[in-house]
Amino acid sequence: MPTVGPAPSDLHGRVCVVTGANTGIGLTTAAELARRGAHVVLASRSAEKTRRATDEITRDTGNQQVEFLELDLASFASVRRAAGQLRERDLPIHVLINNAGLAGRGVTADGFEMSFGVNHLGHFLFTMLLLERLRRSAPARVVTVSSVAHYDAVGIDFETLRRPTASRTGLPGYRVSKLANVLFSAELGRRLAGTGVTTYALHPGVIATDIWRRIPWPARPLIAAFMKSADEGAQTTLHCATAADLATESGLYYDKCQPRTPSLLAQDATLARELWRRSEAWTDADALP
């Protein structure tokens, strides 16, 4: 497995949780964190694929602290089980990387448009359930993988998010979910100011990964023809998760390992608060233990 990013930093004693870590950017990210000495939890849906990934990472890095956590972000029940399993352990969480995602059609187990339900709501609930552990582990970071696609979102129609994907390709819904990622990261950063937990949203590049598996033919191969590799895509994620000079920054959006101004909608604090309010109600996050 190739290495990516800048010169290794020592992450021994640090615990990193990476969602969607059995393939693509998530796998590359998890492997590099393990190579730098971190205890890495790969939170993914498929036990078979993720155990193959943990075995591969352990073999290639020599790091024995690499483990699987079953997590299906399309199901609030699964998100609660996974977070509960982490909270039951005497294990700090220093870095949470909300990496998993998809683009395409469908509806989640809880009745939400698929891209929004997985890319935003699942991660919102997972983060909320782990927030107290992150605070106790501070300094800690929450890194959310968004996309440059958020610039093309024309707004958030909250009523349509309770229905199956309307478009044929699913791309409009994907753009909204990525806008939600940036809004969530910025609002979380504001709410966590002074706690030692910092937040980062980022564009990894347009990467050829399983995120596009639900895009129908013939759009999928046309999109994939212009994509970069997962190794290239992991660089900004790793930068946000580990770079020492980012320790005092929070709530910003990054591209190519540099801060970048997000869309005007993504800077709308009123929209961010409304998204938070609705996300909290939809996931019942305001009744967390």
Side-chain angles (χ1 to χ4, degrees):
M1 182 177 292
T3 60
V4 297
S9 53
D10 185 2
L11 298 178
H12 286 84
R14 307 287 285 176
V15 179
C16 304
V17 179
V18 186
T19 70
N22 60 23
T23 188
I25 298 170
L27 175 58
T28 302
T29 300
E32 183 64 14
L33 293 170
R35 186 177 73 85
R36 300 183 192 187
H39 178 163
V40 186
V41 179
L42 283 70
S44 303
R45 185 178 55 174
S46 169
E48 181 180 357
K49 287 177 64 175
T50 310
R51 290 198 172 105
R52 285 202 301 267
T54 59
D55 290 346
E56 177 184 355
I57 293 171
T58 298
R59 182 190 68 237
D60 291 350
T61 67
N63 188 333
Q64 300 297 314
Q65 290 187 303
V66 181
E67 58 179 290
F68 163 61
L69 175 70
E70 185 174 356
L71 171 67
D72 181 356
L73 289 160
S75 164
F76 294 159
S78 175
V79 173
R80 288 182 179 276
R81 279 194 302 272
Q85 289 170 15
L86 284 175
R87 292 202 312 265
E88 288 170 0
R89 301 174 58 183
D90 185 22
L91 191 70
I93 300 176
H94 301 104
V95 181
L96 170 61
I97 300 179
N98 293 323
N99 164 83
L102 56 78
R105 297 171 53 80
V107 63
T108 69
D110 302 281
F112 292 92
E113 191 280 323
M114 183 62 76
S115 293
F116 182 81
V118 170
N119 300 349
H120 170 65
L121 282 180
H123 281 129
F124 176 89
L125 179 58
F126 196 51
T127 303
M128 293 301 97
L129 289 164
L130 298 178
L131 204 51
E132 183 55 35
R133 185 61 55 87
L134 285 158
R135 285 194 184 103
R136 284 165 43 193
S137 307
R141 302 186 185 193
V142 179
V143 179
T144 300
V145 178
S146 180
S147 169
V148 71
H150 89 271
Y151 287 98
D152 295 323
V154 297
I156 301 179
D157 183 344
F158 289 103
E159 298 308 313
T160 65
L161 301 177
R162 300 302 305 269
R163 299 195 289 268
T165 310
S167 67
R168 185 171 183 273
T169 64
L171 289 176
Y174 176 75
R175 294 169 188 139
V176 169
S177 75
K178 295 291 104 178
L179 170 62
N181 287 156
V182 183
L183 288 165
F184 165 60
S185 183
E187 181 64 15
L188 183 63
R190 287 188 284 269
R191 291 173 182 245
L192 292 176
T195 66
V197 182
T198 48
T199 71
Y200 313 82
L202 66 100
H203 170 57
V206 183
I207 311 300
T209 70
D210 283 353
I211 193 173
W212 309 105
R213 63 189 179 275
R214 288 178 177 264
I215 295 291
W217 187 274
R220 186 168 61 248
L222 293 175
I223 292 171
F226 299 95
M227 295 179 182
K228 298 190 295 185
S229 72
D231 292 336
E232 294 172 296
Q235 291 182 12
T236 303
T237 301
L238 289 163
H239 178 70
C240 290
T242 67
D245 58 354
L246 267 59
T248 58
E249 298 181 6
S250 188
L252 301 183
Y253 172 72
Y254 296 80
D255 186 4
K256 298 178 182 176
C257 299
Q258 297 292 329
R260 177 178 176 181
T261 303
S263 72
L264 287 175
L265 279 173
Q267 300 174 58
D268 187 336
T270 300
L271 180 60
R273 288 192 296 271
E274 179 62 12
L275 173 66
W276 187 285
R277 184 186 71 80
R278 290 178 180 261
S279 300
E280 200 171 49
W282 284 337
T283 62
D284 200 23
D286 55 351
L288 296 179

